[in-house]
Amino acid sequence: MTANENTLSIFALGGINEIGKNMYAIQYEDSIVIIDCGGKFPDESLLGIDLIIPDITYLEENQDKIRALIVTHGHEDHIGGIPYFLKKINVPIYATHFTLGLIELKLDEHRLKRDTKLIPIDSNSKLEFGEITASFFKVSHSIPDCLGIVFQTPEGNVVHTGDFKFDLTPANNQFADIHKMAEIGSQGVLVLISESTNAERTGLTPSERMVAGHMTEAFMKAQGKIFISTFASNVNRVQQVVDAAMKTNRKLALIGRSMVNVVSVAIERGYLTVPEGMLIEARDVDQLDPERVAILCTGSQGEPMAALARLASGNYRDVAIYPGDTVILAASPIPGNERDVSRIIDNLFQLGAKVIYGSGSSTGMHVSGHGYQEDLKLMLTLMKPTYFIPIHGEFRMLHHHRELAELVGVGKGNTFIIKNGDVVDIENGAARQTRKIPSGDTYVDGMGVGDIGEIVLRDRKQLSEDGMLVIVLTLSKTDRRIIQGPDTITRGFVYVKNSEDLLREVNSLVKKTVNDLQEENIRQWNVIKQNIKKTVGQYLFTQTKRKPMILPIIIEI
């Protein structure tokens, strides 16, 4: 089912029932405006996958209608998919000064900057895309230069909040446009699209300024080196680390590519103030007294190749953690990362470090950049929407956000909890959700984008769990009789020296299978291979309760 030409359509290609790869769009007549294009890091079930990005099949089919990509802020789950998107669809990108700096880093890496139109915007900008006009308002978050968007359409106003909280004392003095939000609400909001990350948490999100005092206190008490791990993009937190280092007369080293890159952009664009001479190279850390150095690194989410994980395992070349050093985790684990973070914390304790970790309320080292329930209710109250679409969260978070909306006056039945690919169509002021567009995950694996599917992932899973068995067999070209072999090679299945009897029996089964087929005058290679796999697989499962991948290789002479 397709919408009429004058229908206002809102849809999500990522960011619904998940944390990550945010991508949304609004469409009216022949104009499509995209909001954000993020990436998501894979969990341990997606073996070998580097990044997950949205499926943009619908956008490719309608790329002549796409007018712009507007980016609300510079977090990875909102900009991580941009290079891959631009390789298929080249459209102008609108973003704030700092966000553009982070996007440029990605485009440089993918050699796309020269061919991409990057247009700076701020909260006073106004853009026109056919019948859609976009204006903006400032919101507070854990990264500088964040915007919410107001789309004026013939059907009414649609507001996308971006990621936000209400911080009345922001560390960077970038105050949210609360009065402007109230004005937008007074003009009438047809649809509010709002993030739901912390919809389960009661109260108001604490101010970022709360962290500064705790950070400085920890620096003053610390003996030995100080290691701090946080999100590289949390420039406010980085500034607090810089300030604490300055007050305690410590030099600061940066470890991790993303940390070095983001800090350089923040300094260059005026969002981070670092005293001259404070920054040192990681290789120079050991030349200083331990009480005079701090190290700011990536890896607060337990990423196995990030700096903190390598430090915790003693595998970082230039710097080491010694007994008595202090390690501060100035971030809370994203859902799903808890086990990886716990493993790193255990390793840090084994190294003899003093580790400050845990939720922000217990340590004072972290506050969320996402609004709690009272923040979400305040946004809903300011906007007073007729219809509401909660986004950016798992299903339970969207459900809780719907309940909050109904508490503050959104009519029952006027909230749409959608899935990626669902379309909300609005015509003559009435909204409905009755159709879908193509959606899903696209996997990035090395240089490949979208070429890894479920079959390959299933094979990788089987290899990781039960290993593989390669059976090499040489057959006569004329009569398919065995000339040499079979030779069995195993990897990740059994230890060969302890399983010689098992592998001898496998070879005997292969010989019998081939000879039986030859007597039946069956000579097709694919039939021979299938029979070998079936016979050997059944035997191995009976003997070992394992299902290795079996690869028969037949050489014809």
Side-chain angles (χ1 to χ4, degrees), residues 369-390:
H370 300 274
Y372 291 7
Q373 289 183 355
E374 297 306 313
D375 301 72
L376 302 181
K377 285 157 65 176
L378 178 54
M379 179 65 78
L380 285 156
T381 301
L382 290 169
M383 294 298 172
K384 300 188 288 289
T386 302
Y387 295 105
F388 175 51
I389 303 176

Side-chain angles (χ1 to χ4, degrees), residues 33-307:
V33 179
I34 303 166
I35 307 139
D36 294 334
C37 182
K40 177 182 176 182
F41 293 111
D43 60 31
E44 58 191 18
S45 68
L46 298 175
L47 300 167
I49 301 301
D50 300 318
L51 185 68
I52 307 169
I53 57 177
D55 181 344
I56 59 169
T57 301
Y58 177 80
L59 297 178
E60 289 182 89
E61 293 171 350
N62 294 273
Q63 57 184 291
D64 58 316
K65 298 179 181 179
I66 300 173
R67 303 290 175 251
L69 166 60
I70 301 176
V71 183
T72 58
H73 65 284
H75 276 146
E76 191 68 24
D77 58 335
H78 295 258
I79 68 171
I82 288 178
Y84 307 98
F85 174 79
L86 290 175
K87 288 175 183 178
K88 295 190 174 183
I89 306 173
N90 193 353
V91 298
I93 296 177
Y94 296 83
T96 54
H97 188 54
F98 182 66
T99 305
L100 283 181
L102 300 180
I103 293 171
E104 285 177 8
L105 288 175
K106 293 186 172 296
L107 300 188
D108 281 335
E109 185 178 335
H110 289 261
R111 299 180 181 176
L112 293 169
K113 186 176 175 183
R114 181 184 299 177
D115 302 320
T116 304
K117 192 174 182 181
L118 300 174
I119 303 166
I121 56 174
D122 57 30
S123 60
N124 297 314
S125 298
K126 193 169 185 177
L127 311 172
E128 293 188 2
F129 310 107
E131 292 286 345
I132 301 173
T133 301
S135 57
F136 305 91
F137 56 93
K138 287 186 284 188
V139 294
S140 297
H141 189 38
S142 56
I143 189 172
D145 272 11
C146 300
L147 294 176
I149 311 171
V150 184
F151 295 103
Q152 291 92 26
T153 78
E155 280 289 337
N157 292 344
V158 178
V159 175
H160 186 293
T161 65
D163 289 2
F164 75 94
K165 67 176 183 179
F166 285 99
D167 191 342
L168 301 181
T169 56
N172 58 3
N173 291 322
Q174 289 190 354
F175 295 92
D177 285 330
I178 298 178
H179 295 293
K180 193 171 186 178
M181 295 179 205
E183 184 181 344
I184 293 165
S186 67
Q187 293 169 358
V189 174
L190 178 66
V191 183
L192 176 66
I193 307 167
S194 183
E195 71 128 324
S196 312
T197 311
N198 278 334
E200 299 172 283
R201 304 179 71 172
T202 59
L204 280 163
T205 312
S207 171
E208 180 67 29
R209 284 190 188 271
M210 185 194 82
V211 176
H214 294 282
M215 187 74 69
T216 301
E217 183 181 359
F219 268 61
M220 288 178 172
K221 290 180 178 178
Q223 298 176 348
K225 298 189 296 295
I226 299 176
F227 294 81
I228 313 100
S229 183
T230 191
F231 293 108
S233 58
N234 194 338
V235 176
N236 300 334
R237 192 72 43 80
V238 174
Q239 184 68 66
Q240 291 167 336
V241 171
V242 169
D243 294 344
M246 183 174 63
K247 290 176 182 176
T248 54
N249 195 27
R250 288 180 183 259
K251 299 288 187 182
L252 186 65
L254 307 176
I255 296 179
R257 187 179 66 161
S258 61
M259 184 65 73
V260 173
N261 287 341
V262 172
V263 167
S264 65
V265 169
I267 293 174
E268 175 191 337
R269 302 200 169 208
Y271 294 89
L272 184 64
T273 303
V274 181
E276 188 173 348
M278 172 178 279
L279 294 179
I280 61 172
E281 296 293 331
R283 61 177 175 268
D284 297 329
V285 166
D286 287 340
Q287 299 176 18
L288 298 172
D289 185 63
E291 279 73 23
R292 291 291 170 259
V293 66
I295 298 96
L296 182 59
C297 65
T298 55
S300 61
Q301 297 306 305
E303 305 95 314
M305 296 306 296

